[in-house]
Amino acid sequence: MVTSSRRRYKVRRPCRRSRRRKSAFPFREAVLWILGAAVAVVMIAVTCHHRADQRSHDGQGDYSAGDYEVHGIDVSHHQGKVDWGKVSRATLHGKSIRFAFAKCTEGRTRQDANYDFNRIATRHHGLLFGAYHYFVPGRSAEDQATNFIKHAHLHKGDLPPVLDVERSGHLSPAELSHEVKRWLKLVGDHYDCIPMVYTYHDFMQKRLVRDSLKDYPFWKALYLDDGRIRGNDWAFCQYTRHGHVAGIRDGVNDYVDLNVFAGTPEDLKALTLGAGVPPSH
């Protein structure tokens, strides 16, 4: 019986010790795990902050319109008769308005009713002027280019012509890109320049073949209206459709598109027709 009792004691004591170890060890392990996790969170936060700074320095971060030096607007008949004298004296984010684009034509036969007035008055008030054509898919690129060239009346000192592409119709990305390039080539040959393409980011990525248009400057439209300007793949950026500028109707309740240019005033002037070296054809 004594031997049996000792055996029972010897068997039970390790069990009690085992239970003590199990109750103590998880507590220490949990403390160490929490401390390690806290250190990891701090390291991740530091790394993300560093990468965000890196993206900003690389031109990939988000900016506001006020971070840019060169500002402008684009208009059509929807803005009515613009008082370009007031526009030329207005400011955006504390900076003067330096350029304006106006809608000239649409499709094969349409012209904007206010284009000639906008073209003449803009130049008269010292703003750099540019014209754009609204592309209609399914219509001949040649006919659309002819319509634009006939009515644009661009000359030396104006900004390069722009093709506004926002609809694909029933065309595939390859078909639409082919027609777009045809218009750009015809108009570029006529003005001895490199025209620009205006569209929004998703359309460029999904409805056009981006690589086929990489030689043409990109005027990027942002329709989010959150005040942020993203990326560095553009020459011009339309950052809102809901801007207010003195001279656009009452300047308070009526909207106009606001834009920034990626470079300096000198860079903008270097883009104008006749200012640079013509492209080889």
Side-chain angles (χ1 to χ4, degrees):
M1 294 294 293
V2 173
T3 303
S4 176
S5 174
R6 288 176 180 172
R7 285 176 182 173
R8 285 195 297 271
Y9 181 77
K10 287 180 180 178
V11 171
R12 289 173 183 172
R13 190 165 60 182
C15 290
R16 289 197 293 272
R17 288 176 180 173
S18 176
R19 283 194 293 271
R20 290 193 192 102
R21 290 192 186 100
K22 286 182 180 179
S23 63
F25 181 73
F27 175 77
R28 291 195 300 270
E29 185 181 52
V31 171
L32 292 174
W33 186 90
I34 291 170
L35 290 174
V39 172
V41 168
V42 171
M43 293 300 295
I44 291 171
V46 171
T47 301
C48 290
H49 181 73
H50 172 75
R51 288 179 178 175
D53 287 345
Q54 186 68 35
R55 284 195 296 271
S56 295
H57 289 306
D58 291 342
Q60 299 296 331
D62 291 356
Y63 297 89
S64 68
D67 294 326
Y68 293 88
E69 184 178 1
V70 182
H71 292 252
I73 63 175
D74 64 272
V75 300
S76 70
H77 64 277
H78 292 295
Q79 278 68 48
K81 189 173 182 179
V82 177
D83 185 334
W84 287 104
K86 287 185 178 180
V87 171
S88 67
R89 295 188 296 273
T91 59
L92 293 170
H93 302 278
K95 302 176 179 69
S96 298
I97 295 175
R98 296 179 179 272
F99 66 87
F101 286 93
K103 182 179 180 180
C104 176
T105 48
E106 178 177 339
R108 295 181 298 180
T109 59
R110 295 182 181 178
Q111 297 87 44
D112 190 274
N114 289 8
Y115 175 74
D116 286 331
F117 170 78
N118 289 331
R119 172 175 57 83
I120 295 168
T122 301
R123 292 169 177 160
H124 176 74
H125 288 284
L127 300 177
L128 289 179
F129 175 76
Y132 72 88
H133 172 85
Y134 187 88
F135 192 79
V136 178
R139 303 293 186 267
S140 163
E142 286 80 1
D143 289 347
Q144 295 196 60
T146 299
N147 186 23
F148 179 81
I149 292 168
K150 181 178 179 180
H151 296 96
H153 305 297
L154 296 178
H155 57 54
K156 183 177 179 179
D158 289 332
L159 292 167
V162 179
L163 183 61
D164 179 349
V165 189
E166 302 178 49
R167 296 161 48 195
S168 58
H170 299 294
L171 301 180
S172 68
E175 291 169 334
L176 180 60
S177 298
H178 175 78
E179 292 300 299
V180 165
K181 284 192 69 175
R182 182 65 179 151
W183 189 96
L184 295 168
K185 178 68 165 59
L186 291 169
V187 173
D189 284 348
H190 178 81
Y191 288 108
D192 205 15
C193 71
I194 301 177
M196 294 189 289
V197 177
Y198 166 98
T199 193
Y200 54 98
H201 177 80
D202 284 352
F203 194 95
M204 177 64 82
Q205 298 299 320
K206 298 175 182 178
R207 306 304 300 171
L208 291 165
V209 180
R210 179 71 177 96
D211 288 345
S212 70
L213 300 172
K214 62 184 179 181
D215 293 331
Y216 296 94
F218 181 24
W219 180 359
K220 183 176 185 178
L222 297 176
Y223 295 154
L224 298 177
D225 275 347
D226 62 358
R228 307 306 297 171
I229 297 177
R230 300 167 176 85
N232 61 356
D233 59 341
W234 49 269
F236 291 85
C237 181
Q238 182 192 93
Y239 62 91
T240 182
R241 295 177 293 176
H242 299 115
H244 301 289
V245 173
I248 306 294
R249 298 191 188 273
D250 68 0
V252 178
N253 298 307
D254 294 282
Y255 295 129
V256 66
D257 300 335
L258 305 182
N259 301 269
V260 291
F261 173 64
T264 65
E266 292 73 24
D267 295 330
L268 181 65
K269 191 162 288 189
L271 280 182
T272 58
L273 300 180
V277 178
S280 59
H281 298 299

